[in-house]
């Protein structure tokens, strides 16, 4: 199930300057969901919208892929995005919501969802990898939060701008299954979801893997393939386009309230209502994440936001990075540097 969160809209409005004439200013150059600012919460590639940012060099460049395993033994393994200084080697994951409900504790990533009385629903957490990936294998050892109806846990590879996405999702309505899904270019086709029956996913850790190549994607549970998507099978005969996600993306984990979302289809999918008391906290846990890049994926080799195939060929000029976090502009405009806050 595709879910567009009410992403900390109040925090954004209080912490940033609004768009003026659909463009950000030089002093708050990066655009995200209709607001502008100058730190990683707005400038991080994939979160930042280049079409409404100050100029073509305002958004940070994609970092490229780094093969590594994160075991969340250090508090630095996941930090609030507002404090991120731009070094992906120092911080593997970034919590992108405010308030921040994600942390590394007891050797695991803990994603909490607490009760938001003002909106009568849960406020969860989303973390994103500080590096990007285009093809490779990602394995996460996860214990879902499917202990009550309505609670949704997710492990996805997603490009927020193009809408390309591969999913593992767990819903409280069916704790003894995991669901796989994919989306192409923001097309909300819910018919592609496939459930996989297993033991209670909230009772124990299991290894969940997305193995993504240019020709096929395989979903695995505890090293057993449960689904294969072949690019060849995604051809849209009407347009001649293979509707197969190929956009460079980020690994992401989340927990959110589907049962009290107010959307009937989402509530029926996740189960509803989500039971709440003032002290209720739901937790999704990730013990480790292993990213295995497909070949060398350096930042300089990252491609445009368009990523997946389009009906017609198109090219776009890409901004360059001078190696110091500042982006140069071939148009002659002065470079804009997004300075994270400390």
């Amino acid at each position: 199930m595709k879910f567009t969160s009410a992403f900390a809209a109040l925090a954004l409005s209080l912490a940033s300057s609004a768009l003026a004439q659909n463009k950000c200013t030089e002093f708050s150059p990066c655009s995200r969901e209709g607001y502008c600012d100058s730190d990683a919460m707005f400038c991080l590639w994939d979160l930042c919208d280049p079409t409404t940012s100050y100029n073509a060099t305002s958004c940070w460049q994609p970092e490229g892929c780094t093969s590594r395993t994160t075991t969340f033994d250090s508090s630095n393994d996941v930090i609030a995005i507002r404090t991120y200084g731009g070094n992906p080697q120092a911080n593997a994951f970034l919590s992108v919501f405010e308030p921040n409900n994600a942390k590394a504790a007891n050797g695991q990533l803990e994603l909490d969802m607490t009760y938001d009385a003002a909106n009568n629903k849960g406020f969860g957490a989303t973390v994103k990898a500080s590096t990007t990936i285009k093809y490779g294998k990602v394995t996460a050892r996860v214990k879902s939060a499917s202990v009550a109806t309505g609670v949704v846990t997710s492990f996805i590879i997603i490009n927020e701008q193009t809408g390309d996405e591969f999913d593992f999702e767990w819903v409280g309505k069916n704790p003894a299954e995991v669901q796989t899904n994919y989306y192409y270019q923001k097309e909300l086709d819910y018919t592609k979801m496939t459930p996989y029956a297993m033991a209670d996913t909230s009772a124990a850790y299991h290894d969940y893997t997305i193995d993504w190549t240019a020709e096929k994607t395989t979903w695995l549970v505890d090293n057993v393939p449960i689904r294969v998507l072949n690019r060849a099978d995604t051809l849209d005969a009407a347009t001649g386009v293979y509707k197969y996600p190929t956009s460079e993306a980020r690994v992401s984990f989340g927990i959110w309230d589907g049962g009290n979302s107010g959307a009937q289809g989402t509530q029926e999918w996740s189960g509803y209502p989500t039971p709440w008391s003032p002290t209720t906290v739901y937790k999704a846990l990730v013990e480790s994440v292993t990213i295995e890049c497909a070949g060398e994926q350096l930042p300089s080799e990252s491609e445009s936001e368009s990523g997946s195939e389009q009906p017609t060929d198109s090219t776009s000029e890409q901004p360059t990075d001078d190696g110091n976090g500042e982006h140069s502009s071939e148009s002659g405009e002065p470079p804009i540097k997004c300075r994270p806050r400390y």
Side-chain angles (χ1 to χ4, degrees), residues 19 64 87 90 108 119 128 147 159 235 252 258 266 281 295-296 317:
L19 288 173
N87 180 5
Q108 58 196 2
N119 293 296
K128 287 179 174 287
V147 295
N159 183 309
L235 178 64
S252 178
T266 300
V281 179
E296 288 191 60
E317 180 181 310

Side-chain angles (χ1 to χ4, degrees), residues 99-114:
N100 172 25
N101 282 347
K103 63 184 177 182
N106 303 312
Q108 58 196 2
L109 169 63
E110 183 178 300
L111 303 171
D112 293 348
M113 182 165 67
T114 56

Side-chain angles (χ1 to χ4, degrees), residues 242-253:
Y242 288 94
K243 294 189 172 183
Y244 180 78
T246 61
S247 301
E248 186 169 6
R250 292 189 190 275
V251 177
S252 178
F253 298 91

Side-chain angles (χ1 to χ4, degrees), residues 2 22 56 66 92 102 114 127 144 152 168 181 208 217-218 250 310 314:
K2 186 80 167 181
N22 298 321
T66 299
T114 56
V127 302
S144 82
V152 182
F168 273 113
N181 209 342
Y208 300 90
T217 297
T218 305
R250 292 189 190 275
Q310 303 296 315
S314 63

Side-chain angles (χ1 to χ4, degrees), residues 9-209:
L10 178 59
L12 282 172
S13 63
L14 293 176
S16 59
S17 57
L19 288 173
Q21 299 179 347
N22 298 321
K23 284 288 183 180
C24 295
T25 69
E26 178 180 0
F27 303 102
S28 296
C30 301
S31 170
R32 182 181 176 191
E33 298 190 16
Y35 296 93
C36 303
D37 213 326
S38 59
D39 61 22
M41 190 173 186
F42 293 79
C43 297
L44 192 75
W45 182 89
D46 173 54
L47 295 181
C48 183
D49 182 356
T51 65
T52 51
S53 292
Y54 176 61
N55 62 25
T57 66
S58 297
C59 298
W60 291 2
Q61 289 294 283
E63 300 82 4
C65 191
T66 299
S67 294
R68 64 181 171 187
T69 296
T70 304
T71 54
F72 303 102
D73 294 318
S74 168
S75 60
N76 289 327
D77 287 337
V78 57
I79 63 169
I81 194 169
R82 285 284 193 185
T83 67
Y84 180 53
N87 180 5
Q89 301 309 313
N91 310 111
F93 286 89
L94 310 173
S95 178
V96 301
F97 278 7
E98 288 185 340
N100 172 25
N101 282 347
K103 63 184 177 182
N106 303 312
Q108 58 196 2
L109 169 63
E110 183 178 300
L111 303 171
D112 293 348
M113 182 165 67
T114 56
Y115 184 56
D116 178 0
N119 293 296
N120 191 32
K121 62 180 179 181
F123 187 88
T126 295
V127 302
K128 287 179 174 287
S130 60
T131 56
T132 57
I133 185 171
K134 183 169 183 178
Y135 307 133
K137 182 187 291 187
V138 184
T139 299
R141 189 161 178 79
V142 178
K143 184 187 290 187
S144 82
S146 295
V147 295
T149 58
V151 182
V152 182
T153 311
S154 64
F155 157 32
I156 64 180
I157 300 174
I158 184 171
N159 183 309
E160 298 279 4
Q161 299 301 318
T162 68
D164 279 1
E165 179 178 338
F166 295 102
D167 292 359
F168 273 113
E169 287 185 299
W170 302 260
V171 296
K173 179 181 179 180
N174 298 305
E177 75 172 27
V178 63
Q179 300 177 2
T180 64
N181 209 342
Y182 75 97
Y183 297 92
Y184 170 83
Q185 298 285 294
K186 298 184 180 179
E187 293 184 3
L188 299 183
D189 181 354
Y190 300 127
T191 65
K192 297 171 183 172
M193 188 276 287
T194 300
Y196 175 74
M198 53 188 298
D200 185 348
T201 60
S202 68
Y205 282 100
H206 294 274
D207 290 322
Y208 300 90
T209 301

Side-chain angles (χ1 to χ4, degrees), residues 211-272:
D211 188 357
W212 175 32
T213 74
E215 297 303 322
K216 70 176 181 179
T217 297
T218 305
W219 289 259
L220 305 92
V221 174
D222 294 330
N223 296 315
V224 177
I226 64 168
R227 181 180 183 179
V228 177
L229 172 68
N230 292 300
R231 173 182 176 274
D233 296 331
T234 67
L235 178 64
D236 184 333
T239 62
V241 172
Y242 288 94
K243 294 189 172 183
Y244 180 78
T246 61
S247 301
E248 186 169 6
R250 292 189 190 275
V251 177
S252 178
F253 298 91
I255 181 173
W256 53 279
D257 188 347
N260 291 9
S261 64
Q264 187 64 28
T266 300
Q267 292 180 164
E268 291 177 355
W269 165 70
S270 63
Y272 68 98

